[in-house]
Amino acid sequence: MSTSPDPAAVEALRTLKATLALALADPTVPVARVEAAAWDAHNRIEDTGGDYVGVSTEANRPG
């Protein structure tokens, strides 16, 4: 039986994806903001078991 990925980790990955999209559209977005979002997503995924595939799959679900 599989469990759902941690909602906080999923949200952190969604935030990272949104931050990356914003940075691509707006070059004034600071690199530090992107790095912070990346580290937050990484740390939350690691802290909740390291299920990168599960978190990514859940974060990519529509809706």
Side-chain angles (χ1 to χ4, degrees), residues 34 36 39 45:
V34 177
W39 276 113
I45 294 168

Side-chain angles (χ1 to χ4, degrees), residues 10 13-14 17 52-63:
V10 172
L13 183 57
R14 286 180 178 148
K17 291 173 64 174
Y52 286 85
V53 172
V55 170
S56 179
T57 299
E58 188 65 29
N60 288 324
R61 288 186 197 276

Side-chain angles (χ1 to χ4, degrees), residues 26-39:
D26 179 1
T28 66
V29 172
V31 171
R33 183 173 173 186
V34 177
E35 288 176 335
W39 276 113

Side-chain angles (χ1 to χ4, degrees), residues 1-44:
M1 184 165 102
S2 66
T3 60
S4 296
D6 182 75
V10 172
E11 188 57 34
L13 183 57
R14 286 180 178 148
T15 298
L16 171 58
K17 291 173 64 174
T19 303
L20 287 169
L22 178 63
L24 288 170
D26 179 1
T28 66
V29 172
V31 171
R33 183 173 173 186
V34 177
E35 288 176 335
W39 276 113
D40 185 50
H42 167 77
N43 290 337
R44 287 183 186 270

